[in-house]
């Protein structure tokens, strides 16, 4: 992989969609470039210094490095011989062949665009090295007998391997928390814009491209409140505002907030505030 990066030529992955390779470089020349493919590197021996998206990394034997498409990379001169196992794939191949599994969704939501450098334990390194060798054997066989389904299976297994490694790393948890906070911010904005018309958790989950259960888990973890509580709080706040500042009928307010009937609105309001809408309005008048 590094030889394609240092001379800035296209990797075979551009033609095949996905490729596995073993490269030994006697000396790495300084180079700057932007990643056009996803790249996973396992450093067998040697090492080099690299800057990715303005962050410096010192990569050495036994390290695992993942760089997404669009990463701005600067590799520095290195006189030492370096051997690397590489696994590369294009965005098109990823979109077309990533199976709809929990691991695949985790990849898309979390480290899809995140640079990852992991210091592997001896056991993990051996397991990953074995996995790379199996992939290389399958790739060599597919030259004579192409088997896209087997290639797809191995591709998804590799993605699962990445997610498993990242979950063991504390850096992943910090990034995951950041992602949760970002999702919380987007969710709150959606509630502000849609709470009058949309009262269901499913609507907000679909708008954020996640399942209702996963969205509830993220929001609860990031804020200690549930998705449903956010929606209900927004409705109650607006209902109180309308009851207090607008001379609208209870029917008008129920329709404004998209309740099916006045009865449904009154039942909802009393459950949340322990008062009927009329009682609340009267208390405001007093």
């Amino acid at each position: 992989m590094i030889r394609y990066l240092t001379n800035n030529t296209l990797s075979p992955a551009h033609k095949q969609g996905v490729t596995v390779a073993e490269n030994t470089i006697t000396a790495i020349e300084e180079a700057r470039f932007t990643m056009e493919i996803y790249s996973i590197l396992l450093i067998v021996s040697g090492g080099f210094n690299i800057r990715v998206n303005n962050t410096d990394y010192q990569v050495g034997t036994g390290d695992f490095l993942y760089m997404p498409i669009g990463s701005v990379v600067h590799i520095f001169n290195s006189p030492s011989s370096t051997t690397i196992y590489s696994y590369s794939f294009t965005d098109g191949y990823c979109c077309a062949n990533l199976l709809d599994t929990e691991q695949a969704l985790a990849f898309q939501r979390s480290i899809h665009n995140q640079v990852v450098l992991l210091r592997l334990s001896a056991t993990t390194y051996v397991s990953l090295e074995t996995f790379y060798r199996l992939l290389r054997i399958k790739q060599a066989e597919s030259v004579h007998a192409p088997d896209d389904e087997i290639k797809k299976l191995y591709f998804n297994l590799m993605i699962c391997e990445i997610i498993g490694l990242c979950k063991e790393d504390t850096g992943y948890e910090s990034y995951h928390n950041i992602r949760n906070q970002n999702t919380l911010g987007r969710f709150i904005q959606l509630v502000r814009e849609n709470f009058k018309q949309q009262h269901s958790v499913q609507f907000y989950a679909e708008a954020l491209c996640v399942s209702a259960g996963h969205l509830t888990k993220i929001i609860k973890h990031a804020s200690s409140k549930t998705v449903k509580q956010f929606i209900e709080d927004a409705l109650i706040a607006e209902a109180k505002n309308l009851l207090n500042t607008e001379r609208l009928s209870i029917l008008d307010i129920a329709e404004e907030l998209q309740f099916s009937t006045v009865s449904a609105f009154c039942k909802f309001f009393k459950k949340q505030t322990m008062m009927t809408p009329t009682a609340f309005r009267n208390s405001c008048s007093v």
Side-chain angles (χ1 to χ4, degrees):
M1 179 60 192
I2 289 294
R3 67 173 177 171
Y4 298 115
L5 299 182
T6 52
N7 64 20
N8 208 25
T9 59
L10 296 181
S11 161
H14 276 279
K15 296 180 180 179
Q16 302 168 10
V18 60
T19 187
V20 181
E22 178 180 352
N23 297 310
T24 298
I25 309 98
T26 56
I28 297 176
E29 298 179 358
E30 183 170 345
R32 292 181 179 87
F33 47 87
T34 300
M35 295 293 296
E36 297 181 3
I37 54 177
Y38 295 101
S39 299
I40 303 166
L41 307 180
L42 179 64
I43 313 306
V44 180
S45 63
F48 53 91
N49 294 326
I50 187 171
R51 179 177 297 152
V52 187
N53 298 334
N54 294 319
T55 300
D56 291 341
Y57 301 92
Q58 187 172 13
V59 184
T61 301
D63 287 352
F64 169 98
L65 177 64
Y66 166 78
M67 295 179 290
I69 289 176
S71 299
V72 179
V73 180
H74 179 187
I75 296 181
F76 299 95
N77 292 326
S78 176
S80 63
S81 176
T82 303
T83 300
I84 301 168
Y85 290 146
S86 67
Y87 188 91
S88 309
F89 53 96
T90 63
D91 191 45
Y93 188 89
C94 183
C95 293
N97 295 284
L98 197 60
L99 300 177
D100 187 16
T101 63
E102 182 180 347
Q103 290 84 353
L105 291 173
F107 173 74
Q108 291 176 317
R109 289 193 300 261
S110 56
I111 69 166
H112 183 252
N113 293 313
Q114 174 77 357
V115 178
V116 177
L117 174 63
L118 301 178
R119 314 290 182 183
L120 303 180
S121 66
T123 302
T124 303
Y125 175 83
V126 170
S127 299
L128 200 57
E129 182 182 41
T130 301
F131 191 70
Y132 268 85
R133 291 188 182 279
L134 290 172
L135 286 167
R136 288 193 66 206
I137 292 172
K138 178 52 62 178
Q139 181 175 265
E141 291 175 350
S142 66
V143 172
H144 305 289
D147 191 341
D148 290 340
E149 289 303 313
I150 294 296
K151 185 186 290 186
K152 180 190 293 187
L153 173 62
Y154 277 128
F155 171 72
N156 281 271
L157 287 174
M158 176 56 75
I159 296 301
C160 291
E161 188 77 9
I162 295 173
I163 294 299
L165 289 172
C166 290
K167 284 184 177 179
E168 295 173 2
D169 184 69
T170 55
Y172 173 84
E173 293 303 325
S174 298
Y175 179 70
H176 190 63
N177 289 336
I178 293 172
R179 294 283 295 189
N180 284 352
Q181 291 297 329
N182 289 340
T183 300
L184 174 63
R186 292 165 59 202
F187 166 70
I188 290 174
Q189 185 60 36
L190 280 171
V191 171
R192 288 173 178 167
E193 295 172 352
N194 299 281
F195 74 91
K196 290 183 181 180
Q197 298 80 25
Q198 302 293 341
H199 302 176
S200 72
V201 176
Q202 189 62 38
F203 168 82
Y204 298 97
E206 290 178 357
L208 293 168
C209 300
V210 297
S211 68
H214 185 72
L215 178 61
T216 297
K217 183 178 179 180
I218 288 176
I219 301 306
K220 182 69 174 178
H221 183 271
S223 70
S224 77
K225 291 173 64 174
T226 66
V227 173
K228 188 176 180 181
Q229 285 174 323
F230 270 102
I231 300 169
E232 290 174 345
D233 287 352
L235 286 168
I236 286 298
E238 183 65 11
K240 287 180 176 180
N241 180 59
L242 294 174
L243 287 166
N244 188 30
T245 61
E246 300 283 349
R247 298 315 302 172
L248 298 174
S249 68
I250 305 300
L251 173 61
D252 292 335
I253 295 173
E255 291 178 346
E256 173 74 13
L257 298 179
Q258 299 288 300
F259 282 88
S260 56
T261 64
V262 173
S263 177
F265 168 66
C266 292
K267 183 178 180 181
F268 168 78
F269 190 89
K270 186 173 183 179
K271 181 181 178 181
Q272 299 298 320
T273 66
M274 306 302 294
M275 299 175 67
T276 65
T278 301
F280 177 82
R281 170 168 277 172
N282 292 336
S283 68
C284 291
S285 298
V286 173

